[in-house]
Amino acid sequence: MTPLASFREYFGDEAYDNVLFTVTITEGASDRVRVASLPYFDGNAYSAQAPEGQSPARFQRVPSSLPGPDGAEEVSATVAIASGGGVWVPMVGELGSVTFGGARRARLVDSFYYLPEADAGVMALQSGVATGDTYSTTGYVNDDLTASDLGAPPGTGSVQASLIPDSLRDWVAAQEVSRDGEGLAQARAAPA
């Protein structure tokens, strides 16, 4: 079963009321936990696999700590996997450091990989993270970011032009907004 298929099982009727994990914020504040990262969209579905012609997402081993971005607030949390688990490692903020605990500690340390561009962690064990696994993280959050902070576009679209409905293309053109983060913020505020 693929990581995405196993993640979708958590939304089925049998698993819907199960507590998957608990997060205890021990320092700072955050109202978000990243569970899975699917950075590619083809117009129909999100995927962790890069479309043809795009650079693939590369999860990598991390040193004992990573520096935080300028202006970000530090947040520390303890995560306990309660039910199930899987390849995705729930993360609070942009990773600064992670310390695994429990009986599988050494295996978890050796199998953790991180994708900085998506603030996402994965566990490269067959079982992934599992019931009873615990870890503490220090991360960084910058909740002051807005769509305007996105800046210039990447240069090429990540969605095939044929997948964008003409009605959407016409509506965006009618808004006469720039093709950057500020334009996105203006379009979001425009009436439909």
Side-chain angles (χ1 to χ4, degrees):
M1 179 178 303
T2 68
L4 183 54
S6 62
F7 176 71
R8 287 181 180 141
E9 284 186 345
Y10 297 136
F11 300 96
D13 291 341
E14 292 179 14
Y16 189 78
D17 290 326
N18 291 351
V19 174
L20 302 178
F21 57 89
T22 59
V23 177
T24 305
I25 303 292
T26 56
E27 181 181 331
S30 179
D31 59 358
R32 297 183 190 134
V33 176
R34 181 171 300 251
V35 178
S37 181
L38 304 172
Y40 304 104
F41 182 66
D42 68 3
N44 292 318
Y46 287 93
S47 171
Q49 182 175 351
E52 188 174 319
Q54 288 194 23
S55 298
R58 300 226 186 260
F59 287 81
Q60 58 195 9
R61 299 285 309 255
V62 295
S64 59
S65 65
L66 298 168
D70 291 338
E73 297 290 325
E74 189 171 291
V75 61
S76 296
T78 300
V79 180
I81 305 300
S83 174
V87 67
W88 302 106
V89 178
M91 303 296 296
V92 179
E94 181 178 328
L95 182 65
S97 65
V98 62
T99 304
F100 291 95
R104 298 182 344 135
R105 180 190 177 284
R107 292 180 60 206
L108 295 172
V109 168
D110 289 343
S111 302
F112 176 73
Y113 291 81
Y114 182 66
L115 178 62
E117 297 83 3
D119 301 332
V122 294
M123 189 56 62
L125 289 173
Q126 185 172 358
S127 63
V129 290
T131 302
D133 288 340
T134 62
Y135 54 96
S136 296
T137 67
T138 297
Y140 304 97
V141 294
N142 192 342
D143 291 332
D144 297 333
L145 292 176
T146 66
S148 297
D149 294 322
L150 293 174
T156 61
S158 60
V159 177
Q160 296 175 16
S162 63
L163 298 173
I164 301 171
D166 289 336
S167 59
L168 177 60
R169 190 174 289 117
D170 294 344
W171 180 85
V172 171
Q175 304 313 307
E176 298 180 352
V177 296
S178 58
R179 295 181 50 93
D180 57 11
E182 187 173 331
L184 175 61
Q186 290 173 354
R188 287 181 60 198

mmCIF file of all heavy atoms in Angstrom, residues 101-149:
data_model
loop_
_atom_site.group_PDB
_atom_site.id
_atom_site.type_symbol
_atom_site.label_atom_id
_atom_site.label_comp_id
_atom_site.label_asym_id
_atom_site.label_seq_id
_atom_site.Cartn_x
_atom_site.Cartn_y
_atom_site.Cartn_z
ATOM 1 N N GLY A 101 12.201 9.187 21.185
ATOM 2 C CA GLY A 101 12.252 8.466 22.447
ATOM 3 C C GLY A 101 11.652 7.083 22.284
ATOM 4 O O GLY A 101 11.245 6.686 21.194
ATOM 5 N N GLY A 102 11.590 6.346 23.366
ATOM 6 C CA GLY A 102 10.946 5.037 23.357
ATOM 7 C C GLY A 102 11.869 3.912 22.946
ATOM 8 O O GLY A 102 13.054 4.101 22.652
ATOM 9 N N ALA A 103 11.307 2.700 22.922
ATOM 10 C CA ALA A 103 12.069 1.486 22.665
ATOM 11 C C ALA A 103 12.682 1.446 21.268
ATOM 12 O O ALA A 103 13.719 0.820 21.063
ATOM 13 C CB ALA A 103 11.177 0.260 22.868
ATOM 14 N N ARG A 104 12.074 2.110 20.305
ATOM 15 C CA ARG A 104 12.579 2.078 18.928
ATOM 16 C C ARG A 104 13.426 3.303 18.593
ATOM 17 O O ARG A 104 13.703 3.585 17.428
ATOM 18 C CB ARG A 104 11.399 2.000 17.948
ATOM 19 C CG ARG A 104 10.580 0.772 18.111
ATOM 20 C CD ARG A 104 9.415 0.612 17.132
ATOM 21 N NE ARG A 104 8.991 1.762 16.388
ATOM 22 C CZ ARG A 104 8.728 1.752 15.076
ATOM 23 N NH1 ARG A 104 8.842 0.638 14.392
ATOM 24 N NH2 ARG A 104 8.320 2.849 14.465
ATOM 25 N N ARG A 105 13.872 4.025 19.602
ATOM 26 C CA ARG A 105 14.561 5.284 19.414
ATOM 27 C C ARG A 105 15.665 5.224 18.354
ATOM 28 O O ARG A 105 15.698 6.031 17.431
ATOM 29 C CB ARG A 105 15.145 5.777 20.733
ATOM 30 C CG ARG A 105 15.881 7.095 20.606
ATOM 31 C CD ARG A 105 16.669 7.449 21.875
ATOM 32 N NE ARG A 105 17.420 8.666 21.690
ATOM 33 C CZ ARG A 105 18.544 8.777 20.999
ATOM 34 N NH1 ARG A 105 19.063 7.735 20.410
ATOM 35 N NH2 ARG A 105 19.159 9.937 20.892
ATOM 36 N N ALA A 106 16.588 4.290 18.466
ATOM 37 C CA ALA A 106 17.737 4.224 17.542
ATOM 38 C C ALA A 106 17.269 3.994 16.107
ATOM 39 O O ALA A 106 17.788 4.619 15.173
ATOM 40 C CB ALA A 106 18.692 3.122 17.967
ATOM 41 N N ARG A 107 16.292 3.142 15.912
ATOM 42 C CA ARG A 107 15.772 2.880 14.560
ATOM 43 C C ARG A 107 15.066 4.117 13.997
ATOM 44 O O ARG A 107 15.162 4.400 12.812
ATOM 45 C CB ARG A 107 14.830 1.675 14.571
ATOM 46 C CG ARG A 107 15.596 0.374 14.861
ATOM 47 C CD ARG A 107 14.689 -0.828 14.881
ATOM 48 N NE ARG A 107 14.015 -1.010 13.601
ATOM 49 C CZ ARG A 107 12.854 -1.632 13.464
ATOM 50 N NH1 ARG A 107 12.237 -2.129 14.515
ATOM 51 N NH2 ARG A 107 12.306 -1.769 12.284
ATOM 52 N N LEU A 108 14.357 4.834 14.861
ATOM 53 C CA LEU A 108 13.660 6.040 14.409
ATOM 54 C C LEU A 108 14.668 7.115 14.001
ATOM 55 O O LEU A 108 14.496 7.775 12.968
ATOM 56 C CB LEU A 108 12.721 6.558 15.504
ATOM 57 C CG LEU A 108 11.554 5.642 15.875
ATOM 58 C CD1 LEU A 108 10.826 6.184 17.096
ATOM 59 C CD2 LEU A 108 10.600 5.448 14.716
ATOM 60 N N VAL A 109 15.699 7.311 14.803
ATOM 61 C CA VAL A 109 16.743 8.298 14.483
ATOM 62 C C VAL A 109 17.362 7.983 13.127
ATOM 63 O O VAL A 109 17.542 8.866 12.286
ATOM 64 C CB VAL A 109 17.826 8.331 15.583
ATOM 65 C CG1 VAL A 109 19.045 9.130 15.134
ATOM 66 C CG2 VAL A 109 17.266 8.895 16.874
ATOM 67 N N ASP A 110 17.690 6.720 12.898
ATOM 68 C CA ASP A 110 18.349 6.317 11.657
ATOM 69 C C ASP A 110 17.435 6.388 10.433
ATOM 70 O O ASP A 110 17.919 6.385 9.305
ATOM 71 C CB ASP A 110 18.892 4.888 11.776
ATOM 72 C CG ASP A 110 20.077 4.793 12.704
ATOM 73 O OD1 ASP A 110 20.688 5.837 12.998
ATOM 74 O OD2 ASP A 110 20.391 3.671 13.147
ATOM 75 N N SER A 111 16.130 6.443 10.636
ATOM 76 C CA SER A 111 15.192 6.344 9.518
ATOM 77 C C SER A 111 14.408 7.628 9.242
ATOM 78 O O SER A 111 13.506 7.628 8.410
ATOM 79 C CB SER A 111 14.202 5.209 9.785
ATOM 80 O OG SER A 111 14.894 3.992 9.974
ATOM 81 N N PHE A 112 14.732 8.712 9.940
ATOM 82 C CA PHE A 112 14.006 9.972 9.763
ATOM 83 C C PHE A 112 14.624 10.799 8.641
ATOM 84 O O PHE A 112 15.830 10.993 8.584
ATOM 85 C CB PHE A 112 14.021 10.778 11.061
ATOM 86 C CG PHE A 112 13.369 12.130 10.929
ATOM 87 C CD1 PHE A 112 11.995 12.241 10.830
ATOM 88 C CD2 PHE A 112 14.133 13.290 10.892
ATOM 89 C CE1 PHE A 112 11.388 13.488 10.694
ATOM 90 C CE2 PHE A 112 13.539 14.539 10.767
ATOM 91 C CZ PHE A 112 12.154 14.632 10.660
ATOM 92 N N TYR A 113 13.763 11.299 7.752
ATOM 93 C CA TYR A 113 14.178 12.155 6.641
ATOM 94 C C TYR A 113 13.246 13.367 6.596
ATOM 95 O O TYR A 113 12.086 13.287 6.980
ATOM 96 C CB TYR A 113 14.131 11.406 5.310
ATOM 97 C CG TYR A 113 15.193 10.335 5.212
ATOM 98 C CD1 TYR A 113 15.011 9.090 5.801
ATOM 99 C CD2 TYR A 113 16.386 10.583 4.547
ATOM 100 C CE1 TYR A 113 15.991 8.107 5.725
ATOM 101 C CE2 TYR A 113 17.374 9.608 4.463
ATOM 102 C CZ TYR A 113 17.168 8.370 5.059
ATOM 103 O OH TYR A 113 18.139 7.419 4.988
ATOM 104 N N TYR A 114 13.769 14.478 6.067
ATOM 105 C CA TYR A 114 13.049 15.745 6.104
ATOM 106 C C TYR A 114 13.133 16.434 4.744
ATOM 107 O O TYR A 114 14.164 16.386 4.069
ATOM 108 C CB TYR A 114 13.666 16.626 7.189
ATOM 109 C CG TYR A 114 13.001 17.956 7.397
ATOM 110 C CD1 TYR A 114 11.708 18.050 7.890
ATOM 111 C CD2 TYR A 114 13.674 19.133 7.116
ATOM 112 C CE1 TYR A 114 11.093 19.279 8.090
ATOM 113 C CE2 TYR A 114 13.079 20.371 7.325
ATOM 114 C CZ TYR A 114 11.792 20.426 7.808
ATOM 115 O OH TYR A 114 11.180 21.643 8.014
ATOM 116 N N LEU A 115 12.025 17.088 4.351
ATOM 117 C CA LEU A 115 11.967 17.869 3.118
ATOM 118 C C LEU A 115 11.799 19.331 3.511
ATOM 119 O O LEU A 115 10.699 19.765 3.833
ATOM 120 C CB LEU A 115 10.791 17.403 2.245
ATOM 121 C CG LEU A 115 10.569 18.151 0.936
ATOM 122 C CD1 LEU A 115 11.774 18.014 0.004
ATOM 123 C CD2 LEU A 115 9.311 17.632 0.249
ATOM 124 N N PRO A 116 12.897 20.103 3.538
ATOM 125 C CA PRO A 116 12.819 21.488 4.018
ATOM 126 C C PRO A 116 11.844 22.365 3.238
ATOM 127 O O PRO A 116 11.183 23.220 3.810
ATOM 128 C CB PRO A 116 14.248 22.015 3.874
ATOM 129 C CG PRO A 116 15.114 20.856 3.615
ATOM 130 C CD PRO A 116 14.254 19.737 3.138
ATOM 131 N N GLU A 117 11.740 22.155 1.929
ATOM 132 C CA GLU A 117 10.866 22.998 1.113
ATOM 133 C C GLU A 117 9.393 22.834 1.488
ATOM 134 O O GLU A 117 8.571 23.702 1.194
ATOM 135 C CB GLU A 117 11.032 22.673 -0.384
ATOM 136 C CG GLU A 117 12.421 22.942 -0.926
ATOM 137 C CD GLU A 117 13.414 21.803 -0.671
ATOM 138 O OE1 GLU A 117 13.025 20.759 -0.108
ATOM 139 O OE2 GLU A 117 14.588 21.967 -1.006
ATOM 140 N N ALA A 118 9.037 21.732 2.121
ATOM 141 C CA ALA A 118 7.640 21.475 2.485
ATOM 142 C C ALA A 118 7.449 21.339 3.997
ATOM 143 O O ALA A 118 6.339 21.066 4.444
ATOM 144 C CB ALA A 118 7.150 20.205 1.788
ATOM 145 N N ASP A 119 8.517 21.517 4.774
ATOM 146 C CA ASP A 119 8.444 21.345 6.231
ATOM 147 C C ASP A 119 7.817 19.997 6.583
ATOM 148 O O ASP A 119 6.978 19.898 7.474
ATOM 149 C CB ASP A 119 7.641 22.474 6.895
ATOM 150 C CG ASP A 119 8.233 23.837 6.629
ATOM 151 O OD1 ASP A 119 9.464 23.913 6.436
ATOM 152 O OD2 ASP A 119 7.476 24.817 6.601
ATOM 153 N N ALA A 120 8.234 18.951 5.883
ATOM 154 C CA ALA A 120 7.613 17.629 6.045
ATOM 155 C C ALA A 120 8.649 16.583 6.420
ATOM 156 O O ALA A 120 9.766 16.587 5.902
ATOM 157 C CB ALA A 120 6.916 17.219 4.756
ATOM 158 N N GLY A 121 8.247 15.676 7.319
ATOM 159 C CA GLY A 121 9.115 14.587 7.735
ATOM 160 C C GLY A 121 8.523 13.241 7.364
ATOM 161 O O GLY A 121 7.302 13.075 7.351
ATOM 162 N N VAL A 122 9.404 12.281 7.045
ATOM 163 C CA VAL A 122 8.976 10.914 6.775
ATOM 164 C C VAL A 122 9.854 9.948 7.557
ATOM 165 O O VAL A 122 10.995 10.257 7.915
ATOM 166 C CB VAL A 122 9.020 10.546 5.268
ATOM 167 C CG1 VAL A 122 8.010 11.341 4.471
ATOM 168 C CG2 VAL A 122 10.411 10.693 4.692
ATOM 169 N N MET A 123 9.299 8.765 7.806
ATOM 170 C CA MET A 123 10.009 7.703 8.504
ATOM 171 C C MET A 123 10.207 6.557 7.524
ATOM 172 O O MET A 123 9.224 5.980 7.039
ATOM 173 C CB MET A 123 9.192 7.243 9.716
ATOM 174 C CG MET A 123 9.923 6.305 10.626
ATOM 175 S SD MET A 123 11.501 6.939 11.265
ATOM 176 C CE MET A 123 10.979 8.374 12.190
ATOM 177 N N ALA A 124 11.459 6.231 7.221
ATOM 178 C CA ALA A 124 11.778 5.223 6.221
ATOM 179 C C ALA A 124 11.879 3.819 6.814
ATOM 180 O O ALA A 124 12.704 3.021 6.390
ATOM 181 C CB ALA A 124 13.072 5.595 5.510
ATOM 182 N N LEU A 125 11.039 3.505 7.763
ATOM 183 C CA LEU A 125 10.900 2.144 8.285
ATOM 184 C C LEU A 125 9.680 1.526 7.630
ATOM 185 O O LEU A 125 8.731 2.244 7.268
ATOM 186 C CB LEU A 125 10.667 2.158 9.803
ATOM 187 C CG LEU A 125 11.828 2.539 10.699
ATOM 188 C CD1 LEU A 125 11.360 2.672 12.139
ATOM 189 C CD2 LEU A 125 12.915 1.485 10.595
ATOM 190 N N GLN A 126 9.641 0.217 7.504
ATOM 191 C CA GLN A 126 8.487 -0.422 6.884
ATOM 192 C C GLN A 126 7.193 -0.032 7.598
ATOM 193 O O GLN A 126 6.183 0.229 6.974
ATOM 194 C CB GLN A 126 8.638 -1.938 6.882
ATOM 195 C CG GLN A 126 7.519 -2.635 6.150
ATOM 196 C CD GLN A 126 7.777 -4.116 5.987
ATOM 197 O OE1 GLN A 126 8.808 -4.630 6.396
ATOM 198 N NE2 GLN A 126 6.839 -4.806 5.383
ATOM 199 N N SER A 127 7.224 0.058 8.924
ATOM 200 C CA SER A 127 6.030 0.420 9.685
ATOM 201 C C SER A 127 5.846 1.929 9.797
ATOM 202 O O SER A 127 4.807 2.400 10.233
ATOM 203 C CB SER A 127 6.121 -0.163 11.091
ATOM 204 O OG SER A 127 7.234 0.416 11.776
ATOM 205 N N GLY A 128 6.864 2.715 9.423
ATOM 206 C CA GLY A 128 6.822 4.155 9.651
ATOM 207 C C GLY A 128 6.819 4.419 11.139
ATOM 208 O O GLY A 128 7.365 3.651 11.928
ATOM 209 N N VAL A 129 6.211 5.539 11.557
ATOM 210 C CA VAL A 129 6.020 5.746 12.989
ATOM 211 C C VAL A 129 4.863 4.840 13.406
ATOM 212 O O VAL A 129 3.963 4.570 12.615
ATOM 213 C CB VAL A 129 5.741 7.222 13.356
ATOM 214 C CG1 VAL A 129 6.980 8.063 13.166
ATOM 215 C CG2 VAL A 129 4.580 7.797 12.580
ATOM 216 N N ALA A 130 4.897 4.372 14.639
ATOM 217 C CA ALA A 130 3.900 3.388 15.075
ATOM 218 C C ALA A 130 3.403 3.720 16.474
ATOM 219 O O ALA A 130 4.010 4.525 17.193
ATOM 220 C CB ALA A 130 4.516 1.986 15.049
ATOM 221 N N THR A 131 2.317 3.095 16.833
ATOM 222 C CA THR A 131 1.726 3.286 18.156
ATOM 223 C C THR A 131 2.803 3.156 19.228
ATOM 224 O O THR A 131 3.571 2.195 19.226
ATOM 225 C CB THR A 131 0.613 2.243 18.397
ATOM 226 O OG1 THR A 131 -0.369 2.394 17.369
ATOM 227 C CG2 THR A 131 -0.029 2.414 19.748
ATOM 228 N N GLY A 132 2.876 4.145 20.115
ATOM 229 C CA GLY A 132 3.858 4.134 21.196
ATOM 230 C C GLY A 132 5.106 4.947 20.913
ATOM 231 O O GLY A 132 5.854 5.264 21.836
ATOM 232 N N ASP A 133 5.359 5.297 19.656
ATOM 233 C CA ASP A 133 6.525 6.126 19.343
ATOM 234 C C ASP A 133 6.282 7.544 19.856
ATOM 235 O O ASP A 133 5.166 8.059 19.799
ATOM 236 C CB ASP A 133 6.777 6.188 17.833
ATOM 237 C CG ASP A 133 7.308 4.874 17.269
ATOM 238 O OD1 ASP A 133 7.841 4.059 18.049
ATOM 239 O OD2 ASP A 133 7.183 4.667 16.056
ATOM 240 N N THR A 134 7.341 8.164 20.359
ATOM 241 C CA THR A 134 7.260 9.545 20.826
ATOM 242 C C THR A 134 8.485 10.306 20.314
ATOM 243 O O THR A 134 9.540 9.711 20.065
ATOM 244 C CB THR A 134 7.233 9.653 22.363
ATOM 245 O OG1 THR A 134 8.449 9.106 22.884
ATOM 246 C CG2 THR A 134 6.039 8.925 22.951
ATOM 247 N N TYR A 135 8.317 11.609 20.189
ATOM 248 C CA TYR A 135 9.452 12.459 19.832
ATOM 249 C C TYR A 135 9.156 13.889 20.241
ATOM 250 O O TYR A 135 8.008 14.286 20.399
ATOM 251 C CB TYR A 135 9.797 12.368 18.337
ATOM 252 C CG TYR A 135 8.658 12.647 17.403
ATOM 253 C CD1 TYR A 135 8.477 13.909 16.856
ATOM 254 C CD2 TYR A 135 7.765 11.644 17.047
ATOM 255 C CE1 TYR A 135 7.434 14.168 15.988
ATOM 256 C CE2 TYR A 135 6.724 11.890 16.173
ATOM 257 C CZ TYR A 135 6.566 13.154 15.652
ATOM 258 O OH TYR A 135 5.526 13.402 14.790
ATOM 259 N N SER A 136 10.224 14.632 20.438
ATOM 260 C CA SER A 136 10.130 16.055 20.767
ATOM 261 C C SER A 136 10.761 16.838 19.634
ATOM 262 O O SER A 136 11.786 16.424 19.088
ATOM 263 C CB SER A 136 10.859 16.353 22.075
ATOM 264 O OG SER A 136 10.236 15.677 23.142
ATOM 265 N N THR A 137 10.132 17.934 19.291
ATOM 266 C CA THR A 137 10.662 18.772 18.220
ATOM 267 C C THR A 137 10.799 20.213 18.692
ATOM 268 O O THR A 137 10.069 20.668 19.567
ATOM 269 C CB THR A 137 9.750 18.780 16.976
ATOM 270 O OG1 THR A 137 8.523 19.426 17.301
ATOM 271 C CG2 THR A 137 9.497 17.395 16.452
ATOM 272 N N THR A 138 11.756 20.879 18.112
ATOM 273 C CA THR A 138 11.828 22.326 18.190
ATOM 274 C C THR A 138 11.715 22.790 16.758
ATOM 275 O O THR A 138 12.400 22.270 15.869
ATOM 276 C CB THR A 138 13.154 22.792 18.814
ATOM 277 O OG1 THR A 138 13.214 22.311 20.148
ATOM 278 C CG2 THR A 138 13.249 24.306 18.815
ATOM 279 N N GLY A 139 10.810 23.717 16.532
ATOM 280 C CA GLY A 139 10.591 24.204 15.185
ATOM 281 C C GLY A 139 10.415 25.705 15.181
ATOM 282 O O GLY A 139 10.550 26.368 16.221
ATOM 283 N N TYR A 140 10.108 26.219 14.019
ATOM 284 C CA TYR A 140 9.962 27.661 13.843
ATOM 285 C C TYR A 140 8.680 27.938 13.069
ATOM 286 O O TYR A 140 8.390 27.278 12.077
ATOM 287 C CB TYR A 140 11.166 28.225 13.084
ATOM 288 C CG TYR A 140 12.469 27.896 13.769
ATOM 289 C CD1 TYR A 140 13.225 26.815 13.366
ATOM 290 C CD2 TYR A 140 12.915 28.658 14.849
ATOM 291 C CE1 TYR A 140 14.413 26.495 14.014
ATOM 292 C CE2 TYR A 140 14.100 28.343 15.499
ATOM 293 C CZ TYR A 140 14.846 27.256 15.078
ATOM 294 O OH TYR A 140 16.010 26.941 15.722
ATOM 295 N N VAL A 141 7.918 28.901 13.550
ATOM 296 C CA VAL A 141 6.690 29.290 12.858
ATOM 297 C C VAL A 141 6.732 30.779 12.573
ATOM 298 O O VAL A 141 7.262 31.559 13.353
ATOM 299 C CB VAL A 141 5.421 28.942 13.679
ATOM 300 C CG1 VAL A 141 5.263 27.450 13.809
ATOM 301 C CG2 VAL A 141 5.435 29.591 15.049
ATOM 302 N N ASN A 142 6.196 31.138 11.441
ATOM 303 C CA ASN A 142 6.119 32.536 11.051
ATOM 304 C C ASN A 142 4.707 32.779 10.567
ATOM 305 O O ASN A 142 4.416 32.691 9.376
ATOM 306 C CB ASN A 142 7.144 32.862 9.963
ATOM 307 C CG ASN A 142 7.285 34.353 9.763
ATOM 308 O OD1 ASN A 142 6.435 35.137 10.171
ATOM 309 N ND2 ASN A 142 8.366 34.759 9.126
ATOM 310 N N ASP A 143 3.799 33.029 11.500
ATOM 311 C CA ASP A 143 2.398 33.198 11.166
ATOM 312 C C ASP A 143 2.087 34.559 10.579
ATOM 313 O O ASP A 143 0.949 34.829 10.209
ATOM 314 C CB ASP A 143 1.522 32.965 12.411
ATOM 315 C CG ASP A 143 1.538 31.509 12.834
ATOM 316 O OD1 ASP A 143 1.741 30.649 11.959
ATOM 317 O OD2 ASP A 143 1.350 31.236 14.022
ATOM 318 N N ASP A 144 3.073 35.435 10.478
ATOM 319 C CA ASP A 144 2.827 36.762 9.932
ATOM 320 C C ASP A 144 2.885 36.780 8.406
ATOM 321 O O ASP A 144 2.653 37.807 7.787
ATOM 322 C CB ASP A 144 3.849 37.763 10.481
ATOM 323 C CG ASP A 144 3.721 37.925 11.988
ATOM 324 O OD1 ASP A 144 2.620 37.706 12.517
ATOM 325 O OD2 ASP A 144 4.725 38.263 12.623
ATOM 326 N N LEU A 145 3.224 35.652 7.779
ATOM 327 C CA LEU A 145 3.325 35.621 6.327
ATOM 328 C C LEU A 145 1.948 35.763 5.694
ATOM 329 O O LEU A 145 0.956 35.244 6.195
ATOM 330 C CB LEU A 145 3.960 34.308 5.862
ATOM 331 C CG LEU A 145 5.429 34.108 6.224
ATOM 332 C CD1 LEU A 145 5.898 32.729 5.782
ATOM 333 C CD2 LEU A 145 6.293 35.183 5.591
ATOM 334 N N THR A 146 1.900 36.477 4.599
ATOM 335 C CA THR A 146 0.667 36.638 3.838
ATOM 336 C C THR A 146 0.937 36.228 2.394
ATOM 337 O O THR A 146 2.086 35.989 2.007
ATOM 338 C CB THR A 146 0.198 38.107 3.860
ATOM 339 O OG1 THR A 146 1.169 38.900 3.160
ATOM 340 C CG2 THR A 146 0.032 38.616 5.284
ATOM 341 N N ALA A 147 -0.105 36.169 1.585
ATOM 342 C CA ALA A 147 0.066 35.836 0.167
ATOM 343 C C ALA A 147 1.016 36.819 -0.508
ATOM 344 O O ALA A 147 1.790 36.435 -1.382
ATOM 345 C CB ALA A 147 -1.282 35.805 -0.534
ATOM 346 N N SER A 148 0.993 38.075 -0.092
ATOM 347 C CA SER A 148 1.891 39.077 -0.682
ATOM 348 C C SER A 148 3.355 38.744 -0.436
ATOM 349 O O SER A 148 4.224 39.135 -1.206
ATOM 350 C CB SER A 148 1.582 40.459 -0.116
ATOM 351 O OG SER A 148 0.279 40.858 -0.467
ATOM 352 N N ASP A 149 3.644 38.005 0.638
ATOM 353 C CA ASP A 149 5.021 37.638 0.957
ATOM 354 C C ASP A 149 5.573 36.554 0.035
ATOM 355 O O ASP A 149 6.765 36.258 0.076
ATOM 356 C CB ASP A 149 5.125 37.151 2.406
ATOM 357 C CG ASP A 149 4.822 38.250 3.404
ATOM 358 O OD1 ASP A 149 5.224 39.399 3.162
ATOM 359 O OD2 ASP A 149 4.167 37.956 4.425
#
